[in-house]
Amino acid sequence: MNREESFCPVYAAIELLQEKWTLHIIRALLEAPRGFNELARAIGGCNSATLAQRLDRLTKLGVIEKEIASHMPPRTRYSLTEAGRALETVVQAIEAWGRRYLRERS
């Protein structure tokens, strides 16, 4: 079997989106482009090294883009590409499912 025949887009998408913090990053960037620290505050609880790793991977995959706003002090801005914005329906579907089937625990 060649590589194209063995590629499963569902498997590949789940592998990417199941990584911890990935959907949180996408959700935060759906609201607005953000700098690194602003993004870290928006998603909460993710350490800087993990956030940098996720952002790098998502950038390489073309889901987000990184703009260097300044070198001194270093400032970057992250935003979603067309591929990233297309995940809005996925996030909305997860929200709808959560609202319908999950209840807040007291």
Side-chain angles (χ1 to χ4, degrees), residues 67-80:
E67 175 190 344
I68 298 174
S70 71
H71 291 283
M72 283 313 256
R75 293 239 162 97
T76 54
R77 194 134 191 92
Y78 295 92
S79 60
L80 295 171

Side-chain angles (χ1 to χ4, degrees), residues 18-77:
Q18 77 172 343
E19 289 182 0
K20 191 169 185 180
W21 303 112
T22 295
L23 282 171
H24 294 285
I25 292 166
I26 291 164
R27 182 175 181 228
L29 292 176
L30 281 167
E31 294 172 3
R34 299 176 188 261
F36 185 89
N37 291 331
E38 185 183 8
L39 189 53
R41 285 189 297 275
I43 63 174
C46 181
N47 71 54
S48 295
T50 301
L51 179 57
Q53 180 185 36
R54 294 298 182 272
L55 290 171
D56 186 53
R57 177 146 193 242
L58 291 168
T59 300
K60 287 178 180 169
L61 290 171
V63 175
I64 64 172
E65 52 192 7
K66 175 182 178 179
E67 175 190 344
I68 298 174
S70 71
H71 291 283
M72 283 313 256
R75 293 239 162 97
T76 54
R77 194 134 191 92

